[in-house]
Amino acid sequence: MAGDPIEGQVLVLAAAKASVTPERLPELVDRAQTLLGPALERYRREYERLHAGDDLEVFLAEWGHWDELGDDLDLSERERSAVRRAHEEQLLRIGRRTDREAAFESALEIREPVCIGTSSDRGDGPNH
């Protein structure tokens, strides 16, 4: 599905907040996942994992991490902001579901979340 691992409602909310069309954000998130999926093992080694689900892992990276990823993906400032916001909103949604929203909000004050899909049907790495 377009926009995985970010949920559809989260994509709509993030697109509205970042002034990016709802049709464009899933494509941008997919581009980010193309870069992030093969780096999953590196994220597991180098970053704190805040959440692990059946098809998604969320890591906390240093502030400015999305600026670097945006450069790698050749995203405009608005596109970069939209993708970062989608990852933030996904983390907050997970926090609401797990009664950890306050802790996740505190973490977002100093670090940036990176959501990486782990579904076995993604086909983006040697084990997938």
Side-chain angles (χ1 to χ4, degrees):
M1 181 177 142
D4 281 344
I6 310 299
E7 296 172 32
Q9 290 179 329
V10 171
L11 289 170
V12 171
L13 176 64
K17 288 183 175 182
S19 300
V20 172
T21 63
E23 298 82 18
R24 178 88 171 114
L25 187 53
E27 176 201 334
L28 297 172
V29 169
D30 285 346
R31 284 178 53 197
Q33 288 307 303
T34 299
L35 181 68
L36 294 169
L40 179 60
E41 289 302 323
R42 181 176 64 82
Y43 276 85
R44 286 175 174 159
R45 286 189 309 272
E46 296 179 15
Y47 296 99
E48 176 185 358
R49 184 171 61 188
L50 204 58
H51 172 79
D54 290 339
D55 58 0
L56 167 74
E57 293 185 32
V58 183
F59 301 91
L60 289 176
E62 68 281 350
W63 197 255
H65 191 73
W66 275 106
D67 289 334
E68 294 173 22
L69 292 173
D71 288 344
D72 292 344
L73 293 164
D74 196 29
L75 299 179
S76 71
E77 191 62 38
R78 182 175 286 175
E79 292 170 335
R80 187 177 313 195
S81 175
V83 175
R84 176 180 33 240
R85 187 176 301 273
H87 285 246
E88 290 171 357
E89 294 294 339
Q90 184 65 51
L91 175 62
L92 292 174
R93 175 163 286 201
I94 292 166
R96 286 189 292 277
R97 289 180 181 154
T98 60
D99 290 329
R100 297 171 65 195
E101 186 175 17
F104 289 178
E105 285 177 347
S106 293
L108 291 178
E109 291 177 14
I110 57 172
R111 293 190 279 172
E112 297 181 326
V114 177
C115 302
I116 303 177
T118 59
S119 177
S120 61
D121 62 350
R122 288 178 47 82
D124 59 359
N127 296 322
H128 295 287

